[in-house]
Amino acid sequence: GAVVSQHPSWVICKSGTSVKIECRSLDFQATTMFWYRQFPKQSLMLMATSNEGSKATYEQGVEKDKFLINHASLTLSTLTVTSAHPEDSSFYICSARPNRGLGSPLHFGNGTRLTVT
Amino acid sequence: AQKITQTQPGMFVQEKEAVTLDCTYDTSDQSYGLFWYKQPSSGEMIFLIYQGSYDEQNATEGRYSLNFQKARKSANLVISASQLGDSAMYFCAMRLLMDSSYKLIFGSGTRLLVRP
């Protein structure tokens, strides 16, 4: 159990366009989802915490207007990279966890590799 | 400051041997948790093992065990009987509660290569 699905797995877009990434919890409800960004050969950096029915909480240094997060239901969060530029090219990974106590791990989607040309 | 440190950028191990991946952490919280994840070249994050700060026994999951030394603030991952499929990036992560919000922060990772 505890499967997180992320779509698309990869996307190439032109500079100036927007890209939407979807994250779904398939077999559990997630009031909170997390978006991470990973540069090549580096660690995962938390970008924001997505809260169902309310505004996302962004980490310091993450532009809210650049990375729009919507968490409209208990099973779906979306990240939209607006007016993408080549420096936004990265690996984006979403995650969520069932509410089974603090020891239950985050389950991750398979990630989205974004390339902005 | 809350921080996770992995000092080994890369490690080699011979197939069937055991290997220890180091992880130290820094937090002033009394309640926290430590996770290890594996990331193969395909990119997915695979949960391996968890240790809670109040757990008195070291966690074990199959070939994975966590050497938890609370006083030293270390949570090293031990992989026994290494297999070729263990070659991957390994991340140590710490679970925090900040302003009542759950947060997971990651170390820089260790790339493990298992030699046949």
Side-chain angles (χ1 to χ4, degrees):
Chain A
V3 177
V4 175
S5 173
Q6 187 172 341
H7 179 81
S9 56
W10 60 270
V11 58
I12 302 172
C13 70
K14 291 187 177 180
S15 189
T17 62
S18 295
V19 173
K20 180 185 283 188
I21 303 169
E22 291 188 349
C23 180
R24 295 180 185 272
S25 56
L26 296 186
D27 52 0
F28 65 97
Q29 293 184 332
T31 54
T32 305
M33 291 185 174
F34 304 89
W35 288 95
Y36 287 84
R37 181 174 183 176
Q38 186 179 30
F39 289 105
K41 299 187 179 183
Q42 293 190 25
S43 185
L44 281 75
M45 301 301 297
L46 180 63
M47 297 175 65
T49 302
S50 171
N51 305 300
E52 187 268 336
S54 65
K55 291 183 180 179
T57 304
Y58 290 82
E59 295 299 302
Q60 193 172 9
V62 177
E63 298 177 61
K64 300 177 183 181
D65 296 331
K66 160 69 81 175
F67 300 102
L68 299 180
I69 290 172
N70 183 275
H71 194 152
S73 78
L74 287 172
T75 59
L76 174 64
S77 175
T78 61
L79 169 68
T80 301
V81 183
T82 63
S83 187
H85 290 286
E87 57 265 30
D88 298 325
S89 298
S90 190
F91 191 58
Y92 294 87
I93 316 177
C94 72
S95 63
R97 57 186 284 274
N99 291 327
R100 295 174 192 161
L102 294 175
S104 66
L106 280 185
H107 295 272
F108 287 81
N110 285 344
T112 297
R113 192 164 302 282
L114 171 63
T115 302
V116 185
T117 61
Chain B
Q2 326 275 17
K3 192 177 179 182
I4 284 272
T5 303
Q6 294 179 255
T7 57
Q8 307 155 311
M11 290 280 287
F12 289 98
V13 65
Q14 203 66 34
E15 192 179 9
K16 299 181 185 177
E17 298 288 317
V19 63
T20 298
L21 306 183
D22 294 341
C23 173
T24 58
Y25 60 92
D26 190 14
T27 179
S28 54
D29 291 358
Q30 295 300 308
S31 175
Y32 54 89
L34 297 152
F35 296 84
W36 277 91
Y37 283 86
K38 171 184 178 181
Q39 186 180 42
S41 56
S42 52
E44 75 263 35
M45 295 290 286
I46 302 167
F47 164 69
L48 297 178
I49 197 166
Y50 167 78
Q51 180 86 39
S53 57
Y54 293 119
D55 295 341
E56 294 185 351
Q57 296 211 336
N58 287 343
T60 59
E61 289 286 350
R63 294 187 299 111
Y64 305 108
S65 60
L66 203 151
N67 184 1
F68 182 48
Q69 299 191 38
K70 195 170 181 178
R72 295 185 178 183
K73 294 190 174 181
S74 72
N76 300 337
L77 176 70
V78 180
I79 305 175
S80 61
S82 297
Q83 301 172 355
L84 296 179
D86 294 335
S87 294
M89 280 291 289
Y90 288 81
F91 290 99
C92 181
M94 180 163 61
R95 180 265 300 158
L96 303 168
L97 287 177
M98 302 180 72
D99 298 325
S100 301
S101 296
Y102 182 105
K103 188 173 288 193
L104 194 66
I105 59 172
F106 285 83
S108 55
T110 296
R111 182 169 298 280
L112 177 67
L113 183 61
V114 181
R115 291 170 166 155

